[in-house]
Amino acid sequence: MRIACFRFANPGGVPVIVVHGTFSSHEGCTGLARRLADDGFDVWAMDWRGRGGSEMPDTPFDFDTIAKMDIPAVLDLVQTETRERSAFFVTHSDGGLIVGMWAARNPELANASIRGLVTMAAQAHLAAERPEHRQRVAEMTAYLETIDVIPPRQLGVGSEPESALLMRQWCRWNLDGKFLGSDGFDYLPALKALNFPLLCLIAGGDHFIAPRAGCESFANAFGSPDRSIHFCSLEQGFAEDYEHGRILASTPAREEIWPLVADWVSQRVKTA
């Protein structure tokens, strides 16, 4: 399985791996990747399997597949090419989940190889707490039972096709209120073993895909002593109540979210 990874090179700079979310590819993260490269980091933006420059697998895949196979493959590539034993991860949406899932199953290796993790609008199991959202997720589940691949924008989001099996897993997490692997592995308590720095950015206007309670639950499950959580909303002094996609790619994000991420990573480089 060939996994594509695009380098915004600063040889000798601290490695930063940028990870997109569902229905997306590295192209959605290009602006942020370039900003981090402008700050001197050696940036690598990956494509999950089945989208962008990566190969489409012959068999269905879910989040566990990507976490177990794609994340360590890219980390190995970056470590080999840079000769650095550790890297930062900067992630959007479910990109944060798959990094956390891999790390939860491999805590010793993750603590040694992840210098810090940034999550933006990442949550796994609390998108269906409101009745109207529960109905929406239930209807989505019924639709996903009829297909194998979701075409781009079929659900009103994204530029890339998505695995129906993967999205059925997300629906199950949120309907059941449990963040479990396909083999029953319970991710939330396993995150406690992780001690690398964590920056969690919550989109203030995202009430469905990654609501505040879900993002906080995911972030607070980590054992990281260096953990920062920001609710990116007008009330907290940000330019807007960010929606799910706009916290990654928008003019206000370029002006205040990207610098926040870059500054946080820079500070952890200095204190490492």
Side-chain angles (χ1 to χ4, degrees), residues 156-170:
V157 295
S159 59
E160 295 284 330
E162 191 53 83
S163 162
L165 178 63
L166 179 146
M167 287 307 299
R168 287 199 296 272
Q169 186 178 32
W170 183 87

Side-chain angles (χ1 to χ4, degrees), residues 45-196:
M46 70 175 291
D47 280 333
W48 299 3
R49 62 183 54 210
R51 72 214 61 220
S54 293
E55 290 183 340
M56 175 66 76
D58 295 330
T59 57
F61 59 93
D62 59 11
F63 283 103
D64 293 288
T65 310
I66 298 170
K68 291 177 182 178
M69 301 181 71
D70 298 5
I71 292 299
V74 169
L75 184 58
D76 287 346
L77 168 69
V78 173
Q79 289 173 329
T80 299
E81 292 295 322
T82 66
R83 298 186 179 181
E84 293 281 348
R85 64 186 294 268
S86 60
F88 286 89
F89 278 89
V90 174
T91 68
H92 177 244
S93 189
D94 295 323
L97 298 187
I98 61 170
V99 174
M101 290 166 71
W102 172 77
R105 289 181 182 266
N106 304 276
E108 290 188 15
L109 179 57
N111 285 331
S113 57
I114 299 179
R115 297 184 69 167
L117 170 63
V118 178
T119 66
M120 289 179 276
Q123 78 89 36
H125 68 296
L126 295 178
E129 290 207 305
R130 295 184 182 182
E132 64 272 24
H133 293 162
R134 174 165 289 274
Q135 180 179 353
R136 185 174 175 183
V137 175
E139 291 173 350
M140 188 187 308
T141 302
Y143 163 70
L144 294 172
E145 294 291 346
T146 67
I147 60 174
D148 293 323
V149 177
I150 310 166
R153 304 202 178 280
Q154 183 70 31
L155 299 178
V157 295
S159 59
E160 295 284 330
E162 191 53 83
S163 162
L165 178 63
L166 179 146
M167 287 307 299
R168 287 199 296 272
Q169 186 178 32
W170 183 87
C171 290
R172 184 171 64 252
W173 288 341
N174 287 283
L175 290 174
D176 295 345
K178 297 178 181 180
F179 187 19
L180 303 179
S182 54
D183 59 355
F185 185 88
D186 196 344
Y187 283 108
L188 280 183
L191 293 172
K192 190 68 175 177
L194 304 176
N195 58 30
F196 46 77

